[in-house]
Each structure stands twice: as structure tokens, then as C-alpha cells.
Amino acid sequence: MNMKIGILGGGMVAQAIGGKLQALGHDVMIGIRNPDAGELEKPRNGGKPLKEWAATTGAKVGTLSATAAHGELLFNCTQGNGSIPALKSAGADAIGSKILVDVANPLDFSKGMPPSLLPEFAHGTSLGEEIQKLLPNARVVKAFNTIANAVMVDASLVPGDHDLLIAGNDAAAKAEVSALAKSFGWASIVDLGDIVGARSTEHLLPIWIRLWATSGSAMHNIKIVR
Amino acid sequence: MNMKIGILGGGMVAQAIGGKLQALGHDVMIGIRNPDAGELEKPRNGGKPLKEWAATTGAKVGTLSATAAHGELLFNCTQGNGSIPALKSAGADAIGSKILVDVANPLDFSKGMPPSLLPEFAHGTSLGEEIQKLLPNARVVKAFNTIANAVMVDASLVPGDHDLLIAGNDAAAKAEVSALAKSFGWASIVDLGDIVGARSTEHLLPIWIRLWATSGSAMHNIKIVR
């Protein structure tokens, strides 16, 4: 079923997910804080200038609030250290009770590489939980935050059997996100329970980064064995 | 090759590793802070009273410093929030340049369950790195800290192909620890590079705990897929 989908954030993760969804037939808008002409021509956090991205994909670009209003289902692809203000700018009214897939990771680059987790999201909470607290009516599903952006939308880039990890309070929302993930090629999806499970997937970033640093490739993931 | 091995700590992890090594023919001593008669009769952190454990296994029990002196190779199986003082008590002179396998996790139970990582070991460092800084001559190898104690010493308790993750600065030390791990049934060992890799394995505790909480079983591990 094709949907209107809003992607909050305009970097490489937003472009990978938004581009894939548009290619699959969905009606995608990417939202950034200031989508003015100059901003659309700048390269963005590992991605293309959004003017070029929109021309290539056929997707739209708008403000955060217009994107939240456009989507029947939303993705948070902002950087983790700016997700809370970006979601406030998108607006609780426009987000309402929609599914909000939280792909962000609360990484702290302020002390250099490798990044740590931001302390305010790493002890007794997580970014996913804080987003759910900020937007109690939204159906937050933490997902896709443990793999490279290319792998998020094409699971076959990592060979063999490996897992997409999801967590959230609403079973129907997780089922809908799982259906989207299957359209990206994900055969194995591990449900880590309610949104508290976001702690465990956000804590996977250090090993993801370490494997990247020691192997030179981002094309990896984990399989839960039990 | 049979060795004299010292296990710092007396809880269930120390008992599992010490008991297995003694059964494999090594000469094992477990060390705790105060191994007096009363202390040896108390149940210990998920394990047996050490008097009973020693009688069953044939291994010895002593002080932290006697155990550090006894072992040609040492394991840190103390609780993570007490590892630094326990290692100071064991003594840098007795530890010297021996291999020190760090199995501890810096878990913070002060805010209830599930535990978070202790902030002082979770941002820009790790417990493994802090132990290496405390004991610059020791050859610290972070290993075995990402699975249940029963699985540490019997990899076949988790079915199929799954990984033991190790990190440390000394390649020869990692090779020796890998040989011990093979004697515990580990077929696949992933080297995460120098001791900074300890950050990534200590950060796996939240997903280990989450899988335990959501499945009710501790018999699980991960496989790195790439």
C-alpha cells in the first residue's frame, strides 16, 4: 500500500530512506529546518544537495512542520543531538498519533572519534524513550539505527542471515514498520519489546563503529543467536 | 599446557571460569578480599559458598594478592563497580606483566533494573581501558564479558555459529587467551583490535540484558555478519 511519508532530516540517512521509499512508489517529503534556495544547494552530512536529490528522486523537500503534516507515517532521521528540538519544531499537533520511526542515534562527537553516547540519553533512558515522552500520542518505533544507511534500505548488502532490531510500545505500529522493512529486503526482524528496548539498540553503535574502524567496511550487522 | 591461574573475584563468573579451568587441569586459585572462615561459608553473588566450591572443584581460595601472585595468567571476575579497588588490592607488583583477562562489566544497579553502564566508564573510555591505565605493564585482554557465565566456559550452550569478542593491546596475549577460549569450545573469535575495543563489548550489556528480559533465557549471543 503506497503511503504519504515524511522524513524529518536531510542528511545521508534521510536521503537513503526517502529515496528508497519514493522509488517503491510512496509519496515522500523530506523536511529540514530552513528549506530555502541557498540551503537546498549545500551538500548535507554525507548526502547530496537536496535540490539535486529531489530532482533525481522526484520526492519533495519542505519544512519540518510541512513534512510532519504531509506524512501519514514519519521517520526521524535527524542527528541524535538535534532530534528533540527538530521534533519540537515539527510540532506535536502535526505528528499527532502517527507512527514515528526513530532512526537517530544520540552520538557525542564533542570529544573526537570514536563518538560516545550522549550522557543525557545513555543512563536509565534512551533517545527513543525521550522522544516517546516528548510525543506521548505518537507511536514511536525505534528501528534501522544499527546499520549503515545503505544496508537500512537493502538488507542484501550484508550477506547471509542478520537481524533488524525494533522496539516500541505499539504492536500494530511495529507490524507496519516491519512490513516496510520487508519491502527493503529484511527477512529477519527481532522485536525487543517496548520502547525501553531502544536503550539496547542505541548501545550497539560503539560496536558498529568499532567494526567499521577495524575492518574498513560499513557493510556489517549482527545476528542474534539463541 | 597446564598453567597456574589466578581468578580475582569469587562470584558466579569467577566460579564458572575457575571451575572449568581446574577441571581442564590447570592449577586455579580464586581470590577475594577477606577469605576468612566466615566469609567462605557465605553464598556469593549467584555462586556457591567458596568453601563448598573449593571442596567440589579442588581449586584453592586465597586473598586477592595471594591469587595475583599464584597465577601465571589472571582473570578479573570482580564486579565492575569494584574492579579498580580490587585490582589495587591485588597489587601492581604481583600482577606485573602477566596477562589479565578482564571479564567485568561496569554496570550501575543504583537506579534499579535494567542497569545502565557506570558513567565514569562509558564516555570516551571503558573499564578495560581504565584497568590498562591502572596497570600499564599488565597485558589486559577484554574477553568473555558479553555472554552468560555458563556460556563463557561452554560455547555449545548457544546453538550454531556465534562469536567471542576480544580486545587488547598485545597480540601474543590475545593469542594465548584465544587458545584458552578454544578449550572452552569457542570456534569463532572476533578480534576488535586494541583495548579501546572494550568500549564496544561493554556497550553490548544492555542488549544482552534486554534479550534476557524479553526471552527469559540467558542462553544467547551475537554473530557478527559481514
Side-chain angles (χ1 to χ4, degrees), chain A residues 116 123-124 192 194 210 221 225, chain B residues 116 123-124 192 194 210 221 225:
Chain A
S116 298
H123 301 284
L192 292 165
D194 68 16
R210 187 69 176 175
N221 190 15
V225 184
Chain B
S116 298
H123 301 284
L192 293 165
D194 69 17
R210 186 69 177 176
N221 190 14
V225 184

Side-chain angles (χ1 to χ4, degrees), chain B residues 98-188:
Chain B
K98 294 172 183 172
I99 293 172
L100 175 61
V101 186
D102 177 30
V103 186
N105 282 301
L107 296 178
D108 179 3
F109 292 93
S110 69
K111 297 179 191 76
M113 291 292 286
S116 298
L117 296 179
L118 287 163
E120 59 268 40
F121 298 117
H123 301 284
T125 190
S126 59
L127 179 58
E129 287 165 89
E130 294 305 309
I131 289 172
Q132 183 66 81
K133 285 179 204 164
L134 176 72
L135 301 163
N137 295 325
R139 292 178 288 152
V140 178
V141 177
K142 191 89 198 185
F144 299 108
N145 64 306
T146 62
I147 54 254
N149 63 77
V151 179
M152 291 174 191
V153 298
D154 183 357
S156 73
L157 291 177
V158 173
D161 188 16
H162 55 102
D163 295 329
L164 184 70
L165 307 175
I166 69 170
N169 296 342
D170 187 294
K174 287 191 280 192
E176 196 161 332
V177 174
S178 296
L180 273 183
K182 283 175 189 160
S183 76
F184 297 168
W186 286 97
S188 177

